[in-house]
Amino acid sequence: MINYDKYEAVIGLEVHAQLLTQSKLFCGDSAAFVNEPNTHISPITMAHPGTLPKLNDKAIEYAIKLGLACNCEIEKVNYFARKNYFYPDLPKGYQVSQHTTPICKGGYVTIKTEDGEKKVQLNRIHIEEDAGKSIHDQDEHYTYVDLNRAGVPLCEIVTEPDLCSGDEAYAYLTELRRLVRWIEVCDGNMEEGSMRCDANVSIRLKGETKLGTKVEVKNLNSIRNVKRAIDHEIKRMIEEVENGGTIIQQTRSFDANNGTTFALRTKEEANDYRYFADPDLTPFHISDEWLKQIQSTIPELYESKVKRYIVELQLTEYDAKVIADERETADYFEKLISALPPSPPGEGPGVRYKAAANWMIGPIKSYLNENNISITKLSLTPSSLAEIIALIDEGKINFSVASSKLFPALIKQPNVTAAALATQLNLLQTSDSGEVASWVEEVLNKMPDKVAEYRKGKKGLIGLFVGEVKKLSKGKADPKLTNDLLLEKLNA
Ligand code: ADP
Ligand code: MG
């Protein structure tokens, strides 16, 4: 019997995030993803002799933005280095990267774990260019090369060996993906390869402080697969050691079909990349003004929003997290609450915010899910929704009619006001006592037995009568008036 609990795992992740610039890192070729191969390849991308690189400032800006959002220290004096190696999809024979001085150092990403919050420490974030793509499966004899991706700007985000389970890696990647999307520096799409992750995993006996030999797992195309690969790897390594074997430093690949890993290559010794400063690219300096200006482009981040919603708006943690989950949803919610009418005296503001939150998590979320659209495509504006909430507040319509009838109708006719459409569709509650009285009359006449029971003392039946009037009036009868008129009749 193997005692897995004797061991602990140590994990460090390396994430490549493709920056959302329009053009490549060192030339004007489009950085956009296209299916047609070799369409975004100028002589610079193809590394023709005599071509020279020209630095794309936007890539630097995005890397700094990410570094600031991760609480990193930003390096003021930077240069690029050549990392030399041979590969068919690397036309220059070297990759332009940063070596000893990454643009961002240290920093952390906060995750939630079973034991509370944890700051996952970063080692660095550096900028580098992507390579092209070798395509091995289109021809029996030849490998094809697509250079569209060659030269596209990447950030490599490297953690310290600071994670200890597949679950923590999952949480870290979820937060990192949210962050890069939130600040709009990368689309975070792992399935399409614009965010890629390699996992470094080792094990050691609990209490041991020295790091064990690590294995690097590649080809992880979803956050879930990163977790699966790590879980598998930890188990495999423990079994290897417990069965008398030793861990050898390896690069392994994950097979998503069966959840296992297999060896790609065994690192005998570190590769010699013969790094040196790229003589075609001058060092670049980051001024304090530029840093300040970039800092000012960072919106309020997820963590801070969740905390603010709980403390200032008195939302529950669950509501706060669902609403802040995507920046667009949070933006919509914030516009919505600023359009709400002021709370009546005596009512805490939390009541109003809760009503707004309920709309976001209930009708809005369901509508978006059912129609598979994002909130940015929703035709109903936050101020129209605020009008609906105000109508409910004033007792002019009840929530169920508002959400089931007025809300979908308003989505179809976003240019009409909520009040006008509710009137046109005859959805407003009536406090016309004559009309409500006739509904009350009709209900009581329909159920003489229940009326008799009520009069004998079964007072709880009032709820049934109110419900029947509501049904008969299709939700239009003002509930308070209904109640009053029913009592009047029943007690007569
Ligand atoms: P390499 O030179 O092999 O790329 P680095 O020192 O750059 O190694 O580290 C790469 C990643 O591996 C980092 O995320 C780091 O935290 C992680 N790492 C390093 N050593 C270990 C180890 N023994 N166990 C787990 N992760 C490790
Ligand atoms: Mg490395």
Side-chain angles (χ1 to χ4, degrees):
M1 270 291 282
I2 293 180
N3 179 6
Y4 292 90
D5 285 343
K6 273 198 328 209
Y7 295 88
E8 65 181 8
V10 176
I11 298 145
L13 299 181
E14 295 167 285
V15 171
H16 284 92
Q18 180 177 335
L19 297 174
L20 280 172
T21 55
Q22 291 194 323
S23 54
K24 293 188 181 178
L25 186 52
F26 298 115
C27 71
D29 289 345
S30 168
F33 176 82
V34 277
N35 280 320
E36 187 64 18
N38 297 311
T39 43
H40 296 162
I41 51 162
S42 65
I44 299 181
T45 291
M46 292 185 289
H48 283 190
T51 54
L52 286 172
K54 197 166 67 193
L55 181 58
N56 180 346
D57 275 357
K58 212 53 182 176
I60 309 299
E61 179 188 322
Y62 285 174
I64 294 174
K65 194 172 178 184
L66 179 57
L68 290 172
C70 292
N71 317 286
C72 301
E73 184 194 322
I74 308 298
E75 177 63 54
K76 294 289 179 58
V77 184
N78 293 273
Y79 69 93
F80 283 106
R82 291 185 180 178
K83 178 180 180 178
N84 298 279
Y85 65 93
F86 176 78
Y87 211 72
D89 59 21
L90 190 72
K92 290 195 289 271
Y94 58 83
Q95 177 194 26
V96 178
S97 180
Q98 294 189 292
H99 183 42
T100 48
T101 58
I103 188 157
C104 311
K105 289 187 194 133
Y108 58 86
V109 172
T110 309
I111 61 167
K112 274 262 160 47
T113 70
E114 280 176 359
D115 315 317
E117 277 188 0
K118 170 169 176 172
K119 290 184 162 74
V120 178
Q121 301 299 316
L122 300 184
N123 173 282
R124 65 175 188 274
I125 300 175
H126 70 251
I127 304 170
E128 61 186 35
E129 59 178 350
D130 206 349
K133 199 166 112 193
S134 297
I135 303 163
H136 304 289
D137 56 4
Q138 285 194 4
D139 189 279
E140 217 180 313
H141 305 289
Y142 297 100
T143 289
Y144 292 155
V145 174
D146 174 11
L147 294 181
N148 280 344
R149 223 173 61 187
V152 161
L154 304 176
C155 260
E156 182 173 340
I157 305 139
V158 184
T159 73
E160 293 292 349
D162 200 21
L163 298 156
C164 54
S165 67
D167 285 327
E168 284 196 9
Y170 189 98
Y172 166 76
L173 290 172
T174 305
E175 289 310 321
L176 184 64
R177 182 176 60 184
R178 185 204 315 284
L179 180 68
V180 297
R181 287 178 173 166
W182 195 280
I183 62 173
E184 297 173 293
V185 298
C186 168
D187 68 25
N189 205 327
M190 284 190 74
E191 288 74 12
E192 284 169 14
S194 42
M195 190 167 130
R196 309 194 278 273
C197 175
D198 300 335
N200 299 272
V201 186
S202 64
I203 55 160
R204 63 184 172 193
L205 285 169
K206 280 182 182 160
E208 174 65 71
T209 48
K210 244 180 67 211
L211 290 173
T213 303
K214 74 174 160 97
V215 160
E216 182 172 351
V217 189
K218 291 188 173 295
N219 297 328
L220 303 165
N221 64 355
S222 70
I223 295 183
R224 193 175 145 260
N225 281 345
V226 174
K227 175 183 145 52
R228 288 173 72 204
I230 291 171
D231 288 345
H232 173 269
E233 206 49 28
I234 294 171
K235 189 162 171 285
R236 183 190 71 82
M237 289 164 104
I238 293 175
E239 285 164 5
E240 178 78 40
V241 172
E242 284 286 304
N243 291 327
T246 46
I247 307 296
I248 34 176
Q249 191 170 336
Q250 271 181 339
T251 302
R252 299 177 71 88
S253 180
F254 181 64
D255 182 347
N257 292 321
N258 58 21
T260 63
T261 62
F262 57 93
L264 282 178
R265 54 184 176 267
T266 298
K267 274 192 191 172
E268 309 278 67
E269 58 202 271
N271 280 322
D272 180 4
Y273 291 117
R274 294 169 293 124
Y275 282 100
F276 63 92
D278 192 313
D280 289 338
L281 287 156
T282 53
F284 59 100
H285 296 247
I286 318 270
S287 69
D288 288 338
E289 295 85 83
W290 199 27
L291 262 189
K292 244 193 249 148
Q293 193 258 319
I294 296 170
Q295 178 79 60
S296 74
T297 65
I298 299 178
E300 183 187 15
L301 300 178
Y302 169 76
E303 237 190 300
S304 150
K305 267 197 203 300
V306 170
K307 285 189 181 137
R308 188 165 59 80
Y309 289 175
I310 295 171
V311 175
E312 282 177 26
L313 308 183
Q314 294 162 29
L315 297 189
T316 61
E317 182 175 338
Y318 175 82
D319 287 1
K321 282 188 171 163
V322 174
I323 292 169
D325 191 43
E326 283 178 1
R327 190 176 147 200
E328 292 77 11
T329 314
D331 286 347
Y332 191 99
F333 173 70
E334 288 181 23
K335 286 193 189 123
L336 171 63
I337 60 171
S338 65
L340 289 175
S343 302
E347 180 189 293
V351 177
R352 195 123 312 179
Y353 299 140
K354 176 68 187 160
N358 287 346
W359 273 91
M360 298 299 301
I361 292 170
I364 297 262
K365 200 167 193 285
S366 317
Y367 179 83
L368 299 177
N369 285 346
E370 276 157 26
N371 294 280
N372 199 16
I373 56 168
S374 104
I375 196 153
T376 53
K377 296 272 172 335
L378 184 66
S379 61
L380 183 77
T381 62
S383 55
S384 284
L385 181 54
E387 283 177 33
I388 301 183
I389 295 177
L391 289 177
I392 297 174
D393 227 52
E394 292 158 15
K396 292 193 176 142
I397 190 167
N398 70 42
F399 175 80
S400 74
V401 173
S403 59
S404 63
K405 304 231 167 70
L406 183 55
F407 172 71
L410 213 50
I411 287 175
K412 291 203 188 85
Q413 297 184 63
N415 298 322
V416 188
T417 67
L421 195 57
T423 312
Q424 189 191 323
L425 298 175
N426 199 17
L427 298 175
L428 291 181
Q429 283 183 162
T430 176
S431 35
D432 172 340
S433 51
E435 205 177 358
V436 178
S438 73
W439 285 321
V440 165
E441 190 85 43
E442 194 177 332
V443 163
L444 295 182
N445 287 342
K446 242 187 357 201
M447 13 182 65
D449 303 353
K450 300 282 174 201
V451 172
E453 279 178 50
Y454 177 91
R455 289 190 171 132
K456 273 189 214 139
K458 215 172 161 193
K459 300 292 179 205
L461 283 170
I462 187 77
L464 173 76
F465 299 133
V466 173
E468 287 299 313
V469 174
K470 188 173 164 192
K471 244 192 262 167
L472 184 64
S473 72
K474 299 199 175 68
K476 282 179 60 189
D478 181 288
K480 167 117 188 21
L481 184 61
T482 305
N483 206 56
D484 292 349
L485 291 177
L486 276 168
L487 288 176
E488 206 174 281
K489 288 272 177 204
L490 289 164
N491 297 331

